[in-house]
Amino acid sequence: MRKLFIVLLMLVTAGLLVNLTSLKNAQTKEKHPDVDFSVSCVECHTEVTPDVVKDWKSSKHGEMNFGCYMCHGDGQQEFYARPGSQRCISCHPAYEVDFSKTKASNCFDCHQGHTLKFHKTDE
Amino acid sequence: MSISRREFLKVSAAATAASTIGVSLLPGMQKELFADGLNWHKSVCRFCGVGCGIMIGEKNGKVVAVKGDVKNTINKGHLCVKGFYLHKVVYAKTRLLHPMIKKNGKFERVSWDEALDYVAKKFNQIRKQHGPDALAFYGSGQAETEETYIANKLFKGAIGTNNMEGNPRLCMASAVGGYLTSFGKDEPAGTYADIEKAELFLLVGSNTAEAHPILFERIMRHKAKNPDVKIIIIDPRKTPTDQVADLHLFPKPGWDLAILHAMARILIKEGYADENFIKQSVNFKDNKKNLTYEEYKQFLEQFTPEKAAQISGVEPDKIVKAARMFGKAKTAMSMWTMGLNQRTRGVWANNLVTNLHLITGKIGVPGSDSFSLTGQPNACGGVREGGGLCHLLPAHRSVKNPKHRAEVAKVWGVPVSNIQPKPGKHTVAMFEALNKGEIKGIYIMCTNPAQSLPNASKYWKGLKEQFVVVAESFFPTATTDYADVVLPAAFWSEKEGVYGCTERRSQYMEQVIKPQGEARWDAFILRDLAIKMGFKKYFEKYKTAEDIWSEYISLTKGTDMDLSGAPYSRLKKLRGITWPVPSVDHPGTYKRYTKGDPIFDALPAAKKKGRRMYFYGKPDGKAVVWARPPKGPEEPTDAEYPLALSTGRVLEHWHTMTMTGTVPELVRAVPKAYVEINPQDAKKMGIEDKEQVIVETRRGKLKIEARVIDRPEPGTIFIPWHWKQWMANILTIDAFDPGSKEPEYKVCAAKIKKA
């Protein structure tokens, strides 16, 4: 019984941390490096983070040309280095998940942020 | 970061639940996790003509979020990048909050009474001194049907001028002309439901991925699930839509009509024609007379693949391949937009696409249709159906028809003599008349013609010299620069009303919040102006939006676009309904002119005997296959101006950017305009990527950044037209289609040099 209690406590704590982190990510404005903002996100990131852009282009978002700003903000007024799930839900309300009933705490626990594929299985 | 005790408990409970249950998603486990404390309201996207359902998240009287409406059949919850940020536009810093009158060259804030008294006085003076035709109204495919309806009544029914136009003249008029001449009635026969049933898509002059992204997504998903689905594109430029294309034909801009004739020739010659359908439901005509089927075949003989290749610049084998793909597919859906409509032979281009469907019988059955894509959210509903053009009256009626004038005058409660039998001035003629001083006062609602007219700078003279009233949600715009009076208009989410989208679907939008500042609903601004002008008895009855809609749908009863079965009480519960919908228990119509269309179903059996389709807009119920000449653009390239300039759109911006220009994320995505130049041309001219160049046409010059990219074909350049500071429309040509009066934004001759 004591063992079960400890396991439960660990799980609760882990879950809480994940949830708090995702909450924090969604609400905190982080700072994007000060760059030439007259250049579009994709144009610049094609040079500075080509692998990320390649991943994104291979995804459904890339196919639809739904760019960096959809999840990360414009980089000046709003910037989310690691966005939470709230932004996903606007376009994907059919997948509005009750995370309290899953092992995941946000969309990106399962989906890689740029390819949108599942982390482990790569399906 | 702090967290409240309530949030702490909630998170702990969630974590506990996660740890104890520990399973993945199951049905019933979904809940509105992100909707805590938010009230969600049903609405429709404010941008293009697709008509996506949007849920507006409101909290304490403010719009704080949007999400796609999963119950909406069009987008099933998905949104594109513009719709995703729509809530931000509501609180743009550029919202116009108060009425203003220009005094001594500067705008001064005034009361609503002062503003409307001033406009009423000026309009009445002009009317008295120069007659009703010295006044004009220029509206929008973004206005609600109720708003356009009141404007129509004020100008055509009360003031007594048919100088009543709307910007759909600049985008959809050729599609209207195409449908009327081919089928006898405006608007498509099918709906979006055909997408998931189509085996082949023919996209002509349509960058669907950027201009209609949610429809593109539906096409993409359909193809992903059904790899045998084929997609053919006919467009002078490579675009993001190409990623799904099986075949792309690149004609020289404006020279594609011959391709469509050549495809028709191959379809008939190689046995893909539906001879029985042709016999039942098709007539043939050229510009002067009726033709027999044999005469039509003889006409087509000149359009061998080689001849079409010579005219269009497309390889003959690609034309043959396209025709065979179209012929072999059991079902085919054509889609087109500005690339066909914005042409001096836009109506003909529309006809020739529809010809392919009529000769193969690929129409009137699930998965087959010739389907025009609309650019604005209510171009179909408010302006085409509502009669917001200079030759129209509500519900597909015509000012020329005495019966139609009498029917409308009766419902409007105005003397029939008030409605003139002669059409007013179409858009280009209207702004020319403003230049000449023939029109001395204009009311512009929800649109930005100083930037969106072709050859725009030519028309600034009239806007500067005449009395201009602009009712807008945003300030400043290129047009408010010329206004004498600006009136703040309520924006999306601040008013209720109906939008009618591309697929004949009318959808109700809730008012969710109060208008910003002193903004008011356009229909009531017009109503109150009418009352101040002395038309109280015609307008005082309109107390609510529902009053206006109810009167409007009474005018649709018994017409081809019957909406009498779609009162507010029903629309509020539905995600829209596709007309004709003649009674409140009618489910709406999927396919027109065939079984299931209430008008077809009500036809006498003798008329329908042996016929799958009856085009009831034509006297004998037969649609027309047109033998149109393969005319090219008004201003072909030459030695002095060797490049064909085409203008168009990007995914992230919309029209003149009064809305998308207020969203930081969308501005970041595409911060500035550019001219796309093919690498071969750039090399010849010594132009490097990102270098500043001057693009020049016979009408103007524009300094702009070069983008050297293989999207345009050699000999062709492209500029996205959204930006005021890089105004592409100072370059475009204002020549227009003689039938539809729609200008040729898509083609003119240009040259480029280094800046």
Side-chain angles (χ1 to χ4, degrees):
Chain A
M1 186 65 200
R2 183 181 154 82
K3 202 174 170 184
L4 181 65
F5 177 74
I6 291 169
V7 169
L8 262 176
L9 191 69
M10 283 171 67
L11 282 167
V12 167
T13 312
L16 202 129
L17 281 173
V18 171
N19 273 284
L20 280 176
T21 313
S22 64
L23 215 67
K24 190 176 177 183
N25 279 341
Q27 291 177 3
T28 305
K29 283 185 184 175
E30 294 147 288
K31 182 136 176 67
H32 186 281
D34 197 17
V35 295
D36 177 3
F37 281 107
S38 71
V39 176
S40 76
C41 320
V42 173
E43 202 175 338
C44 187
H45 277 272
T46 302
E47 288 177 23
V48 297
T49 58
D51 290 345
V52 170
V53 172
K54 194 180 164 194
D55 283 351
W56 165 74
K57 276 191 176 166
S58 73
S59 73
K60 271 279 185 319
H61 283 174
E63 283 177 7
M64 295 293 292
N65 205 23
F66 287 8
C68 319
Y69 56 92
M70 293 289 284
C71 303
H72 296 286
D74 73 314
Q76 282 181 297
Q77 297 189 26
E78 285 186 47
F79 178 60
Y80 307 99
R82 297 183 67 80
S85 301
Q86 278 92 335
R87 282 171 173 255
C88 311
I89 295 307
S90 283
C91 292
H92 302 284
Y95 300 96
E96 217 162 298
V97 176
D98 183 351
F99 288 118
S100 67
K101 297 177 182 173
T102 70
K103 286 178 180 172
S105 64
N106 75 37
C107 304
F108 301 111
D109 282 357
C110 299
H111 293 277
Q112 204 279 337
H114 297 119
T115 62
L116 306 179
K117 289 179 180 171
F118 290 108
H119 282 303
K120 287 179 184 172
T121 59
D122 241 19
E123 284 165 356
Chain B
M1 193 200 110
S2 66
I3 182 167
S4 70
R5 185 173 175 274
R6 188 174 165 273
E7 282 169 324
F8 175 81
L9 290 172
K10 205 167 151 187
V11 170
S12 301
T16 309
S19 61
T20 49
I21 297 168
V23 292
S24 59
L25 274 180
L26 287 170
M29 285 176 60
Q30 297 180 349
K31 72 165 189 176
E32 301 226 330
L33 191 65
F34 298 93
D36 285 356
L38 265 64
N39 301 307
W40 291 101
H41 304 264
K42 176 175 83 81
S43 192
V44 181
C45 185
R46 175 67 177 71
F47 291 105
C48 80
V50 173
C52 295
I54 281 191
M55 299 300 289
I56 303 175
E58 170 266 329
K59 193 173 185 178
N60 301 326
K62 288 200 85 172
V63 171
V64 295
V66 293
K67 63 178 180 179
D69 181 357
V70 288
K71 291 181 185 168
N72 191 293
T73 57
I74 297 171
N75 58 318
K76 299 179 177 76
H78 290 251
L79 292 178
C80 84
V81 301
K82 295 183 286 292
F84 182 78
Y85 288 112
L86 193 44
H87 59 300
K88 292 197 169 191
V89 183
V90 178
Y91 302 104
K93 287 176 187 163
T94 49
R95 283 297 305 272
L96 177 58
L97 301 176
H98 311 285
M100 294 192 287
I101 295 176
K102 200 180 267 171
K103 297 176 181 174
N104 300 317
K106 283 191 175 176
F107 280 113
E108 289 184 16
R109 180 176 171 179
V110 296
S111 69
W112 268 109
D113 265 343
E114 186 179 341
L116 290 184
D117 283 340
Y118 180 56
V119 177
K121 190 178 158 194
K122 288 286 288 185
F123 276 8
N124 276 340
Q125 275 174 356
I126 292 168
R127 186 165 160 253
K128 197 174 168 189
Q129 286 174 18
H130 306 283
D133 288 336
L135 290 174
F137 177 90
Y138 187 62
S140 173
Q142 297 155 58
E144 293 170 337
T145 302
E146 294 85 342
E147 294 167 328
T148 298
Y149 182 83
I150 289 292
N152 219 3
K153 176 171 172 177
L154 173 58
F155 281 78
K156 287 179 188 154
I159 292 171
T161 179
N162 289 335
N163 290 338
M164 155 91 196
E165 277 278 286
N167 57 17
R169 176 72 75 186
L170 307 179
C171 60
M172 297 312 304
S174 295
V176 177
Y179 282 129
L180 286 175
T181 47
S182 291
F183 296 157
K185 294 286 179 188
D186 186 22
E187 302 195 48
T191 71
Y192 300 146
D194 288 315
I195 292 173
E196 283 76 16
K197 295 164 187 153
E199 283 190 8
L200 178 132
F201 294 87
L202 177 64
L203 306 177
V204 194
S206 162
N207 176 6
T208 323
E210 296 199 84
H212 300 96
I214 294 299
L215 291 187
F216 178 70
E217 193 210 18
R218 281 179 67 165
I219 295 169
M220 209 165 65
R221 280 174 186 266
H222 176 51
K223 188 172 167 66
K225 278 186 197 165
N226 305 278
D228 290 340
V229 166
K230 302 292 180 204
I231 297 172
I232 305 169
I233 295 177
I234 304 179
D235 195 293
R237 179 172 163 255
K238 195 187 289 176
T239 70
T241 310
D242 273 78
Q243 62 189 304
V244 296
D246 295 282
L247 179 66
H248 191 141
L249 281 59
F250 293 94
K252 293 181 289 183
W255 293 100
D256 48 8
L257 300 192
I259 298 172
L260 297 164
H261 278 320
M263 286 176 69
R265 178 179 172 273
I266 294 161
L267 287 169
I268 294 171
K269 271 192 162 328
E270 298 194 2
Y272 295 112
D274 184 337
E275 303 293 349
N276 193 37
F277 182 78
I278 289 172
K279 200 174 168 188
Q280 287 170 355
S281 301
V282 172
N283 285 323
F284 297 89
K285 283 186 179 178
D286 67 15
N287 285 353
K288 292 178 184 164
K289 60 184 184 307
N290 293 331
L291 302 176
T292 63
Y293 186 20
E294 286 309 312
E295 286 168 332
Y296 173 65
K297 288 183 195 171
Q298 284 164 22
F299 164 82
L300 289 180
E301 269 312 297
Q302 62 189 297
F303 298 101
T304 60
E306 292 72 25
K307 175 74 175 176
Q310 192 189 334
I311 296 171
S312 66
V314 174
E315 301 88 326
D317 59 323
K318 279 193 173 179
I319 298 171
V320 175
K321 191 176 177 187
R324 286 177 182 160
M325 283 168 72
F326 191 96
K328 280 176 188 164
K330 284 190 187 119
T331 53
M333 193 168 186
S334 296
M335 293 180 175
W336 66 91
T337 184
M338 299 310 132
L340 281 198
N341 294 340
Q342 291 179 330
R343 302 262 296 277
T344 44
R345 287 300 172 190
V347 174
W348 295 3
N350 272 259
N351 291 146
L352 301 198
V353 173
T354 297
N355 280 359
L356 303 179
H357 292 269
L358 290 172
I359 60 179
T360 57
K362 290 188 171 72
I363 188 153
V365 291
S368 286
D369 201 26
S370 64
F371 195 82
S372 150
L373 302 180
T374 316
Q376 297 186 90
N378 201 31
C380 286
V383 177
R384 287 162 77 169
E385 296 159 23
L389 295 174
C390 68
H391 60 299
L392 298 176
L393 287 169
H396 290 168
R397 288 182 174 87
S398 164
V399 296
K400 286 182 182 171
N401 185 320
K403 185 169 169 277
H404 290 177
R405 291 199 302 277
E407 287 165 350
V408 173
K410 189 179 173 190
V411 171
W412 280 353
V414 301
V416 69
S417 57
N418 279 17
I419 306 175
Q420 292 192 42
K422 190 182 159 197
K425 292 192 188 311
H426 61 82
T427 295
V428 171
M430 181 181 278
F431 284 92
E432 266 175 2
L434 216 63
N435 271 357
K436 290 176 188 164
E438 293 167 9
I439 290 176
K440 296 184 180 300
I442 188 166
Y443 189 106
I444 297 169
M445 183 176 88
C446 193
T447 185
N448 191 8
Q451 187 179 339
S452 57
L453 287 170
N455 194 6
S457 54
K458 174 180 167 186
Y459 300 103
W460 295 341
K461 176 181 181 286
L463 289 168
K464 198 173 177 183
E465 291 174 354
Q466 311 306 332
F467 181 66
V468 175
V469 181
V470 178
E472 246 302 347
S473 297
F474 304 96
F475 180 89
T477 70
T479 305
T480 62
D481 289 351
Y482 298 101
D484 294 281
V485 181
V486 289
L487 304 172
F491 184 59
W492 171 87
S493 79
E494 299 170 349
K495 56 187 181 181
E496 67 175 338
V498 177
Y499 269 179
C501 72
T502 299
E503 63 161 356
R504 294 180 278 109
R505 182 177 298 276
S506 297
Q507 301 188 81
Y508 171 82
M509 298 177 288
E510 275 183 60
Q511 179 180 353
V512 176
I513 57 167
K514 288 180 185 168
Q516 303 298 293
E518 292 181 70
R520 296 179 59 196
W521 188 40
D522 272 311
F524 284 170
I525 300 172
L526 287 161
R527 175 200 63 187
D528 294 350
L529 173 64
I531 290 170
K532 283 179 185 289
M533 287 182 74
F535 303 121
K536 186 176 177 183
K537 65 179 174 181
Y538 304 146
F539 287 88
E540 64 181 345
K541 63 180 172 177
Y542 304 115
K543 307 288 186 201
T544 65
E546 187 168 10
D547 291 342
I548 302 169
W549 178 257
S550 299
E551 182 175 300
Y552 167 61
I553 62 171
S554 75
L555 269 168
T556 70
K557 191 161 183 60
T559 69
D560 68 303
M561 48 146 300
D562 198 330
L563 274 163
S564 57
Y568 264 24
S569 56
R570 191 175 184 203
L571 287 180
K572 283 178 181 178
K573 295 176 198 156
L574 297 174
R575 261 58 179 178
I577 192 160
T578 49
W579 55 256
V581 49
S583 60
V584 289
D585 57 355
H586 190 275
T589 301
Y590 164 38
K591 286 279 179 191
R592 295 169 86 191
Y593 314 119
T594 191
K595 200 177 171 187
D597 172 351
I599 300 169
F600 177 90
D601 292 342
L603 288 169
K607 273 193 168 181
K608 293 184 287 191
K609 194 178 174 188
R611 293 174 71 163
R612 178 165 68 77
M613 293 187 85
Y614 191 94
F615 295 92
Y616 41 75
K618 296 286 186 186
D620 58 358
K622 291 187 174 185
V624 177
V625 167
W626 285 95
R628 304 288 201 187
K631 188 186 172 295
E634 185 70 13
E635 189 181 68
T637 54
D638 55 24
E640 193 183 359
Y641 294 93
L643 299 167
L645 166 66
S646 197
T647 61
R649 285 141 185 82
V650 297
L651 170 73
E652 297 85 352
H653 291 301
W654 203 71
H655 287 196
T656 61
M657 282 177 68
T658 51
M659 292 187 284
T660 54
T662 69
V663 178
E665 288 86 346
L666 298 176
V667 173
R668 173 71 55 251
V670 192
K672 56 193 166 191
Y674 48 85
V675 56
E676 290 182 353
I677 309 170
N678 184 278
Q680 287 180 34
D681 290 334
K683 195 176 175 186
K684 272 188 222 162
M685 293 182 282
I687 291 168
E688 301 283 339
D689 193 38
K690 296 185 182 175
E691 197 172 12
Q692 289 291 310
V693 294
I694 306 280
V695 180
E696 183 177 350
T697 68
R698 290 182 174 86
R699 292 152 295 281
K701 291 180 187 178
L702 182 66
K703 189 179 176 187
I704 193 167
E705 186 175 293
R707 180 168 294 182
V708 178
I709 189 166
D710 67 349
R711 281 187 174 186
E713 288 288 281
T716 303
I717 55 173
F718 171 85
I719 303 176
W721 74 285
H722 309 287
W723 288 261
K724 185 183 176 189
Q725 60 270 49
W726 296 282
M727 200 186 288
N729 277 327
I730 64 168
L731 303 172
T732 50
I733 190 168
D734 51 354
F736 52 83
D737 183 305
S740 69
K741 321 295 184 197
E742 181 163 343
E744 192 156 62
Y745 289 91
K746 287 294 172 186
V747 201
C748 69
K751 60 184 172 186
I752 290 189
K753 63 179 179 187
K754 287 187 180 196

